[in-house]
Amino acid sequence: MLKITTLVENTAVRAKFRAEHGLSMLIEKDGETVLFDTGQTDALIHNAKLLGVDLSKIDKVILSHGHYDHVGGLKYLLDYTKPTIYAHPEIFRKRYSKLSDDGNLRYIGIEDREFFEKKGARFVLSEEPIEVAKGIWTSGFVKMTNDFESVDKNFVYEKDGELIKDEVEDDLSVFIEINGSLFVLFGCAHRGIINIMKQAESTFNKCILGFLGGTHLGPADEIQREKTIEALKEMDLRVMGPSHCTGLLMTSKMYCEFGDRVVFNNVGVITVVGG
Ligand SMILES: [Fe+2]
Ligand SMILES: [Fe+2]
């Protein structure tokens, strides 16, 4: 049985939880526990305590990519546990968004590696898929293979004083083997949810049951949104939990298209697969 508990998300259905622009999900499977992302602030700690999650028991963390809304909670988590952290080697880029309130570049990256290591983090960085616990894999580097998904044009990173378009090559998802199929978790899916899921299918030669997580369809253009919905119709997934950077409009559109197969993946939602 696979159990996923959403600890941080943009929305919460109960007042006692804290909602924020960010994402964190706890994966529990066959006695293994892995945390995927940490949200933006200490909302992770607040919500985890309310949900009865013992943070000191978390010894493995996967970080989807180096954006503040997925890694910001890590420094707070390190007060409770010193986990092994799995991520892509490019996660520490100094990255910015061109979208801001004042017209200046907005910093959207994370602290550097040493900052976290001083607090007890141990990093395992790899472009290749890693099985972090039995049947729980990082995607590894995701290739851009179709003609309708593209990386957000507002992202840049700074290297040797130059600004370079950020293709978010560090964007990792999680592929979980369950009952001969795969369940997928996205952070922001900056490389495109269809690219990611097609890579999962071809890597494992297995079908996809469903997904939870950020799809970045909120900021995507209309063509990407429409073609993604068309591709999802063909894939005929059992569970879809568009979250975080999907936005309420695209989540609503998906609900109109796919009905009860869509999960509103708010803080406190527990999704059980293969029970
Ligand atoms: Fe995000
Ligand atoms: Fe992101």
Side-chain angles (χ1 to χ4, degrees), residues 65 67 69-70 188 190:
H65 63 302
H67 279 160
D69 51 326
H70 298 257
C188 275
H190 286 300

Side-chain angles (χ1 to χ4, degrees), residues 19-20 58 116 124 142 157 169 171 173 178 199 204 257 272:
E20 65 181 18
I58 295 173
F116 294 113
V124 175
V142 173
Y157 69 100
E169 285 91 342
D171 191 70
S173 296
I178 179 83
Q199 184 157 317
F204 288 85
E257 197 64 58
V272 174

